[in-house]
Amino acid sequence: MNWGLAVNVYDTVHRIVEKCVIADQGGIDWLWVTDFPAVRHAPSLAAIVAENVKRSRIGVGLVSPLLYRPEQIVQFMSTLIDNYGERFDLLIGPGDRPQLSRIGIEYGNISMLVTRLVSDVTKIRDELGQRGYDGVRVWLGAQGPKMIAASIKADGVLLNYTDPKMLKWALSILGEIPKGFQIGAFPPALITENPDCSKEYGLRKSAATVAMGLGQSVVSEFGLMDTLSAARISLKQKRSIDQDVVDAIDEATLKRFALCTTPEGACNYIKILEGIGLDMVTFGPPQGTSRKLVKNLVKTRVHWDDTV
């Protein structure tokens, strides 16, 4: 099982690099530098990370083709590879809808969104292949059933779920897995010795963000219509996820969308994911927000290596 960490791009560059080095030296396999959009240009930050880490692969993304044309994505990936070698992967997805809306970019025709993304993924993969960059894996971020099914045309999928039951459901949609195709989970995570999940607003907000991104069919599939209705109404009114939206979701529901546990509990969780057929887990925010939390993840990895 490969381990990844979502890099906290909101920190200073110095602190970002410092935490990436800790993760790299501690055996974390992937460092994902996000742009959904974010406050920092992901390719530029990925280059700085590449200058300082030795072992970890560096994932660029989630990157939205609604924000960058496929030609631009190919160009910045090519620049990274030419300068630092084929140690980069790319994660494509639509991006955070409220964040995109704030900078004047809309999803457009939702019924065609999956088709458009798959077309862009194909263009990017083909162009990177023509340039001889065969070592770059292009992943698709997915949550809804149509996107999950379409991800089979990429090199891998990162599923925006935590609950093993939901992950099993996603795997059933994928059907027969092509050779070499990789499957990962991307849960909001807080791994610490004495977790108090109800008091960790950063984790609760990350979990709420995932829950609020669910489509109607998925909400219905998992019986979440009633438990999420108040939060969905609040989000529609406020157009952003704030404390009121988070507080409108009960703790039991939020726990289904986040991993909040001890290092030992995280290892047990990873064994479950490995058992259902996943190849990678990338620990999302708030795990990458502090040196202490990154060190906790490294400690968890050491514990995992000692027990498998």
Side-chain angles (χ1 to χ4, degrees), residues 270-288:
I270 291 167
K271 286 178 183 176
I272 293 172
L273 298 195
E274 198 171 48
I276 63 176
L278 269 67
D279 304 292
M280 186 233 276
V281 56
T282 290
F283 299 94
Q287 195 66 47

Side-chain angles (χ1 to χ4, degrees), residues 92-112:
I92 295 293
D96 184 80
R97 195 171 186 176
Q99 294 266 35
L100 287 168
S101 183
R102 288 191 190 99
I103 59 173
I105 297 175
E106 303 295 338
Y107 272 14
N109 186 347
I110 295 294
S111 65
M112 293 298 295

Side-chain angles (χ1 to χ4, degrees), residues 167-187:
L167 288 165
K168 285 183 180 179
W169 168 80
L171 289 174
S172 71
I173 294 172
L174 284 171
E176 186 175 351
I177 308 299
K179 184 178 179 180
F181 187 84
Q182 298 281 298
I183 305 169
F186 199 167

